[in-house]
Amino acid sequence: MIPLALDPARVPIALAGNGPLAVRRLTQLREGGGDPVVYSPEPDGELIDLAGERLVRALPFTSDLDAVRVLFVMGLEPAVEKTLAEMARARGVLVNVEDVVPLCDFHSPSVVRRGDLLLTVSTGGRSPTLASLVRQRLETLFPEAWAERVSAIATLRDRLRGEKASMSAIAKATKELIAREGWLP
């Protein structure tokens, strides 16, 4: 596996599915800054509310996938999920079919967000439970205060870059700030 962090402002994402898994994935994508088109032939009330104007009450056609680079699929019949995965791949779209490892081009890690700090855990789809347990541990090690800490570090970095400091001087100042504040034991 190769870890990547995608910018949803640059990489068009779509979701195809129904049910609680679709709601959960859409929520995660939105938390990451995404606003995917949601294809759902049988959306429930929660998915309808969450997807809003981005909801299409059907599965995507092959031509719909031309505007997409990443497709998440879940909560559909296995044969439909397989067909969507094959259609997407034929168009050069990366696919993740929830809990169907052979149909996945990538796996979504468990995520801890603290402002701009993004911590992820992945088992390559081998044990979502383990990834979730490690994520829970990271949540305790990196509390919400880290959002402000990252912001303070970014402010320091921006100021030093504006003063034309070298990258090594910026790294040194950052390490000193973190040590002085005792943010990492």
Side-chain angles (χ1 to χ4, degrees), residues 6 8 13 23-36 50 109-118 135 139 144:
L6 298 176
I13 299 170
V23 169
R24 185 184 66 157
R25 179 64 62 202
L26 181 54
T27 300
Q28 291 170 341
L29 292 170
R30 291 265 172 81
E31 288 172 353
D35 190 23
L50 189 59
S110 284
V111 173
V112 176
R113 287 183 194 283
R114 301 297 187 240
D116 289 325
L117 179 62
L118 180 66
R135 176 193 47 80
E139 286 175 338
E144 293 290 337

Side-chain angles (χ1 to χ4, degrees), residues 4-53:
L4 300 171
L6 298 176
D7 180 352
R10 295 176 182 247
V11 180
I13 299 170
L15 182 149
N18 295 313
L21 290 176
V23 169
R24 185 184 66 157
R25 179 64 62 202
L26 181 54
T27 300
Q28 291 170 341
L29 292 170
R30 291 265 172 81
E31 288 172 353
D35 190 23
V37 174
V38 177
Y39 296 93
S40 182
E42 299 172 11
D44 62 16
E46 190 174 6
L47 186 59
I48 291 168
D49 291 343
L50 189 59
E53 295 178 3

Side-chain angles (χ1 to χ4, degrees), residues 89-158:
R89 268 194 208 97
R91 304 303 256 198
V93 175
L94 294 174
V95 181
N96 176 284
V97 179
E98 192 88 22
D99 290 331
V100 187
V101 175
L103 295 180
C104 292
D105 297 324
F106 65 94
H107 304 283
S108 294
S110 284
V111 173
V112 176
R113 287 183 194 283
R114 301 297 187 240
D116 289 325
L117 179 62
L118 180 66
L119 305 169
T120 63
V121 178
S122 175
T123 61
R126 304 284 290 173
S127 179
T129 301
L130 174 59
S132 178
L133 290 170
V134 172
R135 176 193 47 80
Q136 290 171 24
R137 180 71 177 129
L138 287 172
E139 286 175 338
T140 62
L141 293 171
F142 293 87
E144 293 290 337
W146 273 94
E148 294 174 20
R149 293 171 182 176
V150 171
S151 183
I153 292 167
T155 298
L156 171 65
R157 182 175 185 262
D158 291 345

Side-chain angles (χ1 to χ4, degrees), residues 77-93:
E77 293 297 319
V80 173
E81 292 179 339
K82 183 176 186 215
T83 298
L84 281 174
E86 290 169 352
M87 264 177 33
R89 268 194 208 97
R91 304 303 256 198
V93 175

